[in-house]
């Protein structure tokens, strides 16, 4: 028994040793794996830190570029806004000037209409008086619209009523009647106090003796008028205050002779 007990104890001792050793091996293996895991985690953390720093640098660079772009865009916007403001002010000034010009144009157009209508009325009155003096029982008148816009578009026409005839437009008159109306109109356009002389070249060629005598008498009554008539009719020659005759001289050139009335 004593021997058996010793074997048993030895066996137990071996049993304990076998139990401790495997446990001790496991403890030794765990202590070796921990440094290996730590050595593997360190590069990963460093790589993450590098990436984090890189991202921060990229973010800072992007933010700087964004701010630079914002400043440039703001500068362009302010320049464009200033240009728009300047153009708007110029446009307002031009519109105001245009409105003033349109008002001035309307005023001038209205004034022109009033002046033209007034002068036409004066000429019409002198035309009727002159035609009646040249043609007994006859009459002549200007025909025109009293609205300036229509007047400037349609113009002025002449109507005449020779003795014992109806009113007719100028185009419908005979040659002598047209000549009489033309002379009356010319005299009506140039009042007696006009400073410039008027030259009438054989305007009496289509007139009969009676109308030519009436023209001579009418001109004799126009005191102060400077009128020159080229005529071969004795009625006008007798009424003239001065005669100037032209003829071919012995040398073949034109000669002039004047006779005071």
């Amino acid at each position: 028994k004593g021997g058996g007990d010793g074997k048993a104890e030895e066996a137990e001792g071996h049993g304990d040793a076998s139990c401790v050793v495997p446990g001790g091996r496991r403890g030794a293996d765990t202590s070796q794996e921990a440094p290996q895991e730590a050595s593997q985690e360190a590069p990963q953390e460093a790589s993450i830190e590098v990436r984090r720093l890189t991202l921060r640098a990229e973010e800072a660079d992007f933010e700087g570029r964004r701010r630079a772009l914002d400043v440039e865009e703001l500068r362009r916007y302010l320049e464009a806004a200033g240009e728009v403001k300047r153009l708007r002010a110029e446009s307002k000034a031009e519109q105001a000037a245009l409105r003033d010009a349109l008002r001035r144009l309307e005023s001038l157009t209205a004034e022109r209409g009033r002046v033209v209508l007034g002068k036409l009325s004066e000429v019409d009155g002198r035309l009727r008086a002159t035609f009646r003096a040249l043609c007994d029982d006859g009459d002549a008148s200007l025909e025109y619209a009293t609205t300036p816009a229509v007047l400037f578009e349609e113009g002025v026409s002449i109507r005449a009523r020779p003795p014992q005839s109806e009113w007719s437009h100028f185009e419908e008159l005979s040659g002598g009647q047209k000549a009489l109306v033309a002379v009356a109109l010319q005299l009506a356009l140039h009042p007696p106090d006009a400073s410039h002389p008027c030259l009438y070249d054989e305007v009496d060629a289509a007139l009969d003796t009676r109308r030519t005598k009436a023209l001579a008498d009418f001109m004799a009554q126009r005191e102060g008028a400077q009128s020159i008539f080229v005529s071969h009719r004795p009625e006008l020659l007798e009424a003239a205050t001065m005669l100037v005759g032209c003829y071919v001289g012995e040398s073949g050139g034109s000669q002039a002779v004047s006779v005071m009335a």
Side-chain angles (χ1 to χ4, degrees), residues 14 18 70 84 112 235 239:
H14 288 295
S18 62
D70 290 345
V84 170
R112 181 186 65 169
E235 294 82 10

Side-chain angles (χ1 to χ4, degrees), residues 3 13 25 38 43 54 82 91 103 109 114 133 141 158 167 172 179 198 209 226 232 240 247 249 253 258:
R25 289 177 180 173
T54 302
S91 177
R103 285 193 294 268
T109 301
R114 288 192 294 269
S141 176
I158 301 176
W167 282 96
E172 302 170 352
C198 296
T209 302
Q226 303 181 70
H232 300 280
Y247 63 96
S258 61

Side-chain angles (χ1 to χ4, degrees), residues 126-137:
R126 291 197 296 266
L127 172 63
R128 303 189 74 166
T130 303
F131 191 83
R132 289 170 181 173
L134 298 178
C135 186
D136 296 335
D137 299 328

Side-chain angles (χ1 to χ4, degrees), residues 50-240:
V50 169
R51 291 181 180 178
R52 185 180 296 111
L53 294 175
T54 302
L55 289 174
R56 288 179 180 177
E58 291 179 354
E59 289 178 356
D61 181 63
F62 175 78
E63 183 65 20
R65 293 184 180 181
R66 186 185 65 80
R67 291 178 180 177
L69 289 175
D70 290 345
V71 171
E72 182 66 19
E73 290 296 329
L74 178 61
R75 183 185 64 80
R76 293 178 181 176
Y77 172 78
L78 292 177
E79 290 179 355
E83 184 68 12
V84 170
K85 185 177 180 180
R86 183 185 66 81
L87 293 176
R88 186 174 297 169
E90 291 181 357
S91 177
K92 289 183 178 179
E94 291 178 356
Q95 290 178 0
L98 179 60
R99 287 192 294 269
D100 292 340
L102 290 175
R103 285 193 294 268
R104 180 62 176 166
L105 178 60
E106 291 178 358
S107 176
L108 291 175
T109 301
E111 181 65 20
R112 181 186 65 169
R114 288 192 294 269
V115 171
V116 172
L117 286 174
K119 293 301 179 181
L120 285 175
S121 179
E122 294 178 7
V123 172
D124 182 61
R126 291 197 296 266
L127 172 63
R128 303 189 74 166
T130 303
F131 191 83
R132 289 170 181 173
L134 298 178
C135 186
D136 296 335
D137 299 328
D139 201 354
S141 176
L142 299 179
E143 189 176 40
Y144 54 89
T146 56
T147 303
V150 180
L151 169 63
F152 296 137
E153 182 177 355
E154 296 181 352
V156 180
S157 61
I158 301 176
R159 294 193 312 157
R161 182 179 59 79
Q164 301 177 356
S165 300
E166 300 293 333
W167 282 96
S168 302
H169 287 92
F170 183 81
E171 296 80 5
E172 302 170 352
L173 299 176
S174 64
Q177 293 170 345
K178 287 182 179 179
L180 191 63
V181 173
V183 171
L185 179 61
Q186 182 67 23
L187 295 173
L189 291 173
H190 299 281
D193 56 350
S195 59
H196 54 275
C198 296
L199 175 64
Y200 302 94
D201 186 9
E202 297 188 6
V203 295
D204 56 347
L207 301 180
D208 56 18
T209 302
R210 183 180 177 183
R211 305 306 176 198
T212 305
K213 182 65 170 61
L215 175 60
D217 294 340
F218 181 82
M219 296 304 300
Q221 298 174 3
R222 287 169 62 92
E223 297 181 0
Q226 303 181 70
S227 302
I228 302 173
F229 281 84
V230 178
S231 176
H232 300 280
R233 306 293 291 273
E235 294 82 10
L236 284 174
L237 299 180
E238 292 173 359

